[in-house]
């Protein structure tokens, strides 16, 4: 799974004041227009540039490829409970068979048995597995999720997001996206 990013748009990677991306998935990117606006508003520092420049009769500037915010933005401690974030926690894989196709959601304890729609009871599941499990309890169906569902931290989702890089990664971004994973191989 990739996010389509067009190189022609010369997107700018946006880092927090601690030099980490604001988010990994989707990767925090701005259009070069927004990046230049932020430079003039003195909100960001340019860390790397594209060769490409914008020019007017009175002005010339290379497009920023990496900027960092001057003011640290405190990340939320707990990510929102959304469909997307459940998929991201479960790495876009059915928690019963591992398939990445036809993903939907399954209540581990069925709603008909009092199961709630919460981080702890909802997992990514493909349509065939979802149908097969139906309204049965996990043991009765013989279907136990690979990973016990849990409320992820922002850090958990960032780590999973890194597994799904966008299709375009400018070379100047790589230091900021992957240096810590090289220092701390898992
Ligand atoms: Zn499945």
């Amino acid at each position: 799974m990739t996010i389509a990013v067009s190189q022609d748009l010369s997107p700018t990677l946006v880092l927090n004041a601690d030099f980490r991306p604001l988010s990994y998935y989707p990767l925090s990117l701005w259009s070069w227009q927004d990046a230049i606006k932020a430079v003039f508003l003195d909100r960001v520092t340019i860390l790397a540039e594209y060769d490409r420049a914008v020019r007017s009769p009175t002005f010339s500037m290379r497009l920023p490829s990496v900027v960092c915010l001057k003011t640290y933005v405190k990340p939320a401690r707990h990510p929102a409970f959304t469909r997307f974030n459940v998929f991201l926690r479960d790495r876009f894989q059915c928690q019963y068979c591992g398939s990445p196709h036809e993903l939907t959601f399954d209540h581990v304890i069925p709603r008909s048995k009092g199961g709630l729609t919460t981080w702890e009871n909802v997992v990514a599941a493909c349509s065939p597995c979802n149908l097969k499990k139906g309204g049965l309890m996990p043991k009765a169906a013989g279907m136990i999720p690979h990973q016990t569902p849990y409320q992820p931290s922002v850090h958990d989702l960032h780590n999973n997001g890194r597994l799904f890089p966008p299709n375009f990664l400018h070379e100047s971004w790589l230091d900021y996206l992957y240096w810590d994973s090289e220092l701390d191989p898992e």
Side-chain angles (χ1 to χ4, degrees):
M1 166 161 304
T2 57
I3 284 199
V5 177
S6 170
Q7 184 166 7
D8 297 340
L9 298 176
S10 301
T12 305
L13 174 66
V14 185
L15 307 177
N16 207 339
D18 65 356
F19 296 93
R20 289 160 182 257
L22 282 180
S23 75
Y24 283 91
Y25 197 89
L27 195 57
S28 46
L29 301 176
W30 286 349
S31 67
W32 64 263
Q33 291 93 334
D34 285 344
I36 286 180
K37 207 183 289 172
V39 169
F40 279 98
L41 292 172
D42 203 28
R43 288 189 184 144
V44 296
T45 305
I46 297 174
L47 299 179
E49 296 169 320
Y50 286 102
D51 292 332
R52 196 178 152 203
V54 277
R55 288 189 181 81
S56 77
T58 56
F59 162 85
S60 169
M61 181 178 174
R62 287 168 75 190
L63 301 183
S65 61
V66 183
V67 297
C68 78
L69 301 181
K70 292 194 171 181
T71 308
Y72 182 73
V73 175
K74 205 175 164 202
R77 263 183 67 217
H78 294 296
F81 179 55
T82 62
R83 299 161 62 87
F84 182 85
N85 284 343
V86 170
F87 281 157
L88 186 54
R89 180 198 64 185
D90 294 346
R91 301 183 177 193
F92 297 90
Q93 285 181 333
C94 171
Q95 289 302 295
Y96 299 110
C97 74
S99 167
H101 303 296
E102 291 185 68
L103 282 189
T104 171
F105 297 94
D106 182 61
H107 286 75
V108 178
I109 296 173
R111 270 184 293 191
S112 58
K113 305 261 193 313
L116 302 175
T117 305
T118 59
W119 280 116
E120 291 79 11
N121 194 46
V122 171
V123 295
C126 69
S127 290
C129 285
N130 202 347
L131 269 175
K132 198 171 136 200
K133 183 160 169 290
L136 295 173
M137 294 293 275
K139 275 188 185 153
M143 295 169 72
I144 311 287
H146 290 166
Q147 161 187 270
T148 304
Y150 64 99
Q151 181 184 44
S153 65
V154 169
H155 184 72
D156 293 331
L157 294 192
H158 278 185
N159 277 343
N160 284 358
R162 271 194 265 210
L163 302 172
F164 306 98
N167 60 350
F168 165 66
L169 289 172
H170 189 254
E171 58 190 19
S172 67
W173 299 359
L174 299 180
D175 286 344
Y176 301 99
L177 294 178
Y178 297 113
W179 65 270
D180 53 339
S181 53
E182 279 176 25
L183 286 177
D184 183 20
E186 285 176 295

